[in-house]
């Protein structure tokens, strides 16, 4: 029995953790308890040296000294403040009016605003709850299918997990040992490709089932010109001018400029052109821009400015992700104060929620550190490596199996638990078989995004359920009866978007170039080359010393004897 335990300690430890979690114990304490228990058992059986476990305090202090993790409370606080600043309401109202005249317009507005909120908050709960409270009643009022309405709001909220600044990317960077900035750059384009796939799905629905996504009726379109026109022509011209300025600036940049940096800087130039045109039009009252063009410009400026304050400074190398998060938190506070949307009560709520989430992450990380140390002591990393490197198909086989595993585990675990339990096991294996860890991290982030969407435990679905109507009610505008939304409708609405997310995983595997991996790379230290250089320097110093001694008046007899013995081995005693 003892021999069996010693030979199979790693798989027994892993299975025991799964059993602990299935019983419903807290993840952080389950991880720590399993780690400590099997650590002590390993010491008693002679598998682990007692001195090996003495490194645990050093790892704890390493967690507390990790500056990267400071970005988590900064971005969380920023998202919670923005949720209360009124920015989401203004965006949804204005963009809803902009896209309202076309079929699926409100759904397009939700996706667009979801991407904007994702690029400013990085918090799924804030995005889903804000859009659920604001957009869902309007979509139900004008006859949207409940499954489409629920699915598009939940899916758009989960964009906060892949579009920077994302909390999951911070955690993945820490676990994979890579720069947060590199993962942000890598996820920038895939996040917007996924947004485009969501838009494509709504376009498809608008052709196949137009009654599911009707356009806003004329009486609901409130932003109009004095003559009753929509003012879209003026907005189109302003958009083309801004786009031309952005493209021209992008062409002017050197060819060596990274893609993500080019996109951010060019976007800022285009937005700046539109903003100054709107300012000049408002101050001079020249009437060159329509009400719609002016309103859209002024509503988009605050979130875009915040995006540049956070992502722009990170991509341009001005600030680290932690410093960018701090600037974003200050920017969110300034926006909330400027709109007079914050007081001490709301401030206290935001700080309490930030503290709870930060402690939640830290406790899971401490538990995962205890577990991983004991797991490494029983050679668990070797067991996982042999298990995964022996798969048929090489890198492709490894990626398929890992993504299936993460997708299945996401039914029961959220992204924090997946990141702290699974990533430390599969990350070293991926690196050993030659997979770029920045690319691998972005791929897993897209896959782990489904943990918010799969029935029955998707958090985004529960966030939406908390703000969706649970009883039939009478709409306050149209005075018509509106039926409630059931949890089954929310579940079925999420299924197509989960399929789209899996399609995005397949696209990243099929076209790896979607993920930008041209970030900063830390220098690799070759120990053998360093030793050779040290030997060469030592020989050079010895030669110099020998020359110095030879130049002296006296000759060391002992050194002469040793030299003669080297020349004639027969003289050796």
């Amino acid at each position: 029995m003892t021999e069996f335990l010693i030979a199979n300690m790693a798989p027994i430890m892993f299975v025991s953790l799964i059993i602990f979690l299935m019983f419903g114990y807290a993840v952080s304490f389950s991880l720590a308890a399993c780690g400590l228990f099997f650590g002590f058992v390993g010491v008693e059986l002679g598998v682990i040296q007692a001195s090996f476990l003495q490194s645990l305090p050093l790892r704890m202090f390493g967690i507390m000294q990790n500056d990267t993790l400071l970005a988590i409370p900064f971005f969380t606080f920023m998202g919670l403040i923005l949720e209360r600043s009124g920015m989401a309401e203004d965006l949804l109202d204005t963009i809803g009016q902009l896209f309202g005249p076309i079929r699926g317009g409100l759904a397009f507005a939700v996706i667009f605003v979801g991407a904007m909120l994702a690029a400013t908050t990085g918090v799924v709960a804030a995005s889903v709850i804000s859009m659920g409270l604001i957009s869902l009643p309007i979509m139900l009022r004008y006859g949207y299918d409940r499954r489409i309405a629920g699915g598009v709001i939940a899916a758009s909220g989960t964009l906060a997990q892949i579009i920077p600044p994302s909390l999951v990317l911070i955690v993945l960077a820490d676990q994979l040992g890579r720069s947060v900035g590199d993962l942000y750059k890598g996820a920038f384009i895939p996040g917007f490709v996924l947004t485009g796939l969501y838009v494509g799905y709504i376009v498809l629905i608008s052709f196949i089932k137009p009654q599911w996504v009707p356009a806003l009726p004329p009486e609901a379109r409130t932003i109009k010109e004095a003559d009753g026109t929509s003012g879209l022509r003026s907005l189109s011209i302003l958009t083309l001018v801004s786009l031309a300025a952005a493209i021209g600036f992008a062409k002017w940049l050197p060819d060596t400029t990274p893609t993500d940096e080019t996109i951010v800087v060019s976007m800022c130039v285009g937005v700046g052109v539109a903003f100054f045109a709107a300012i000049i039009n408002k101050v001079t009252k020249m009437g060159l821009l329509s009400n719609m063009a002016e309103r859209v410009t002024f509503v988009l400026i605050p979130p875009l400015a915040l995006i540049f304050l956070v992502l722009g400074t990170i991509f341009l190398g001005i600030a680290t992700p932690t410093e960018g998060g701090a600037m974003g938190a200050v920017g969110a506070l300034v926006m909330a104060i400027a709109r007079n949307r914050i007081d001490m009560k709301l401030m206290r709520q935001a700080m309490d929620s930030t503290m709870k989430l930060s402690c939640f992450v830290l406790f899971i990380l401490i538990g995962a550190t205890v577990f991983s140390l004991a797991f490494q002591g029983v050679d668990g990393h070797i067991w996982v490596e042999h298990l995964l490197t022996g798969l048929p198909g090489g890198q492709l086989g490894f990626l398929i199996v890992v993504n299936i595993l993460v997708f299945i585990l996401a039914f029961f675990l959220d992204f924090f638990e997946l990141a702290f339990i699974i990533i430390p096991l599969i990350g070293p294996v991926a690196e050993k078989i030659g997979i770029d860890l920045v690319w691998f991290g972005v791929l897993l982030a897209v896959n782990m995004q489904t943990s918010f969407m799969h029935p029955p435990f998707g958090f985004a679905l529960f966030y939406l359920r908390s703000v969706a109507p649970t009883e039939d009610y009478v709409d306050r505008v149209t005075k018509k009866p509106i039926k409630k939304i059931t949890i089954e409708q929310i579940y079925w609405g999420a299924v197509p978007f989960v399929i789209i997310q899996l399609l995005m995983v397949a696209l990243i595997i099929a076209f790896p170039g979607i993920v930008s991996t041209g970030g900063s790379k830390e220098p690799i230290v070759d120990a053998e080359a360093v030793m050779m250089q040290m030997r060469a320097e030592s020989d050079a110093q010895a030669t110099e010393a020998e020359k110095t001694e030879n130049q002296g008046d006296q000759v060391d007899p002992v050194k002469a004897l040793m030299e003669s013995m080297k020349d004639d081995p027969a003289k050796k005693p």
Side-chain angles (χ1 to χ4, degrees), residues 493-546:
V495 170
F497 291 95
V498 172
I499 295 172
I500 292 173
Q501 290 169 349
L502 294 178
L503 175 63
M504 188 67 213
V505 171
L507 285 176
I508 292 177
I509 294 175
F511 304 100
I514 295 175
V515 178
S516 172
T517 57
S520 59
K521 296 188 185 228
E522 297 181 1
I524 298 173
V525 178
D526 188 342
E528 186 176 350
V530 171
M531 292 298 296
M532 290 177 64
Q533 183 177 356
M534 290 174 64
R535 289 194 193 101
E537 291 177 357
S538 177
D539 292 344
Q541 291 175 359
T543 303
E544 187 67 27
E546 185 178 348

Side-chain angles (χ1 to χ4, degrees), residues 4-241:
F4 176 79
L5 287 175
I6 293 174
N8 298 280
M9 184 72 77
I12 292 173
M13 186 175 177
F14 189 74
V15 172
S16 300
L17 173 64
I18 295 174
I19 293 173
F20 261 94
L21 296 176
M22 290 178 66
F23 273 109
Y25 291 106
V27 174
S28 56
F29 299 119
S30 298
L31 286 165
C34 274
L36 290 175
F37 176 77
F38 282 95
F40 294 143
V41 170
V43 170
E44 290 297 322
L45 294 177
V47 179
I48 302 176
Q49 296 293 327
S51 58
F52 181 76
L53 296 180
Q54 292 177 357
S55 64
L56 187 57
L58 296 176
R59 292 200 175 197
M60 297 298 174
F61 281 108
I63 294 172
M64 290 183 279
Q65 294 172 351
N66 190 345
D67 292 340
T68 302
L69 297 177
L70 279 174
I72 293 176
F74 286 145
F75 285 123
T76 303
F77 181 75
M78 180 179 75
L80 294 171
I81 292 296
L82 286 176
E83 181 187 356
R84 295 161 171 80
S85 69
M87 183 182 75
E89 290 92 328
D90 292 343
L91 278 171
L92 285 167
D93 180 44
T94 303
I95 305 303
Q97 290 289 322
L98 175 63
F99 291 116
I102 61 176
R103 289 197 300 262
L106 288 177
F108 294 142
V110 167
I111 295 171
F112 181 81
V113 173
M116 294 286 290
L117 292 177
T120 51
T121 65
V123 182
V124 172
S127 300
V128 174
I129 291 173
S130 297
M131 292 191 296
L133 286 171
I134 301 161
S135 296
L136 189 58
I138 300 174
M139 297 174 87
L140 297 180
R141 177 183 303 157
Y142 296 112
Y144 267 67
D145 183 85
R146 282 160 173 71
R147 292 165 295 181
I148 296 294
V152 75
I153 290 174
S156 300
T158 60
L159 288 171
Q161 288 308 106
I162 186 61
I163 295 178
S166 161
L167 295 184
V168 70
L169 293 176
I170 297 173
V171 175
L172 284 173
D174 178 69
Q175 294 300 301
L176 292 171
R178 291 298 182 266
S179 163
V180 177
D182 286 349
L183 259 75
Y184 277 2
K185 293 176 182 178
F188 192 71
I189 295 176
F192 290 104
V193 171
L194 184 60
T195 305
L197 292 177
Y198 289 170
V199 171
Y201 172 67
I202 297 300
V203 170
L204 187 65
I205 291 295
S206 67
F207 283 105
I208 298 174
K209 293 285 187 180
Q211 68 274 17
W212 287 3
V213 286
L216 279 180
E219 61 271 15
R221 304 169 195 169
T222 56
I223 303 179
K224 298 179 181 179
E225 299 301 297
D227 58 0
T229 58
S230 63
L232 292 178
R233 179 182 298 177
S234 173
L235 178 61
S236 301
I237 294 173
L238 180 63
T239 303
L240 290 174
V241 171

